[in-house]
Amino acid sequence: MRIAMGADHGGYSLKEIIKQHLVEAGHEVLDLGTHDTGSCHYPEYAEKVAYAVVDRDADLGILVCGTGIGMSIAANKVRGIRAAAVSDCFTAQATREHNDSNILCLGERTVGPGLAMRIVDTWLNASFQGGRHQVRLDMISELEQN
C-alpha cells in the first residue's frame, strides 16, 4: 500500500518512527514533509497529504502534529477527505469501518510511539463495512457539494 505522510514540527519525530514502521511492514511511504523540527505550519502538510490521497498518488494518508486535531481540521477542508484524529485503537478501527476515513491524524504530544504504531496497524487492517454506513457517507458527500 502507498501511504502519504506529513507532519509539522510538533509531529516530526513521531512521523519518522511511524514511517520506519510502515516501511518495515512493506508499505511504500510518500513523505511530504516536514523534514526537520524547525517551526512550520501544519495546514501546508495537511493540504499536501490530502491532495495526494484525492489525486490517488497515495492510497491513504497519515498526518502528525502536536494533537492531531489541527491536521484533521485542515485536511477535512479538501473535498473527498475524511480525516480522523485518533488516540486509541477502538476509534482507529471504527473510523475505517464506519466512516471510511482515508487520513489518520495523530498527536505526538498525546500518543506515545508504541500506541501510535498499534493505532496505525489497527487502522490499516480495518475495512469499510459499507451498508448503512455508505448512506451516511453519501450524505457527507452531499454536504461537500453545497
Side-chain angles (χ1 to χ4, degrees), residues 12 38 55 57 73-74 103 112 119 136 138-139:
Y12 169 76
D55 292 342
D57 294 328
I73 291 169
I103 295 181
I119 289 170
R136 296 165 187 151
D138 292 342
M139 293 171 76

Side-chain angles (χ1 to χ4, degrees), residues 42-52 63 74-75 78:
Y42 64 84
E44 295 174 17
Y45 301 99
E47 179 182 23
K48 289 178 184 185
V49 169
Y51 279 109
L63 290 165
V78 175

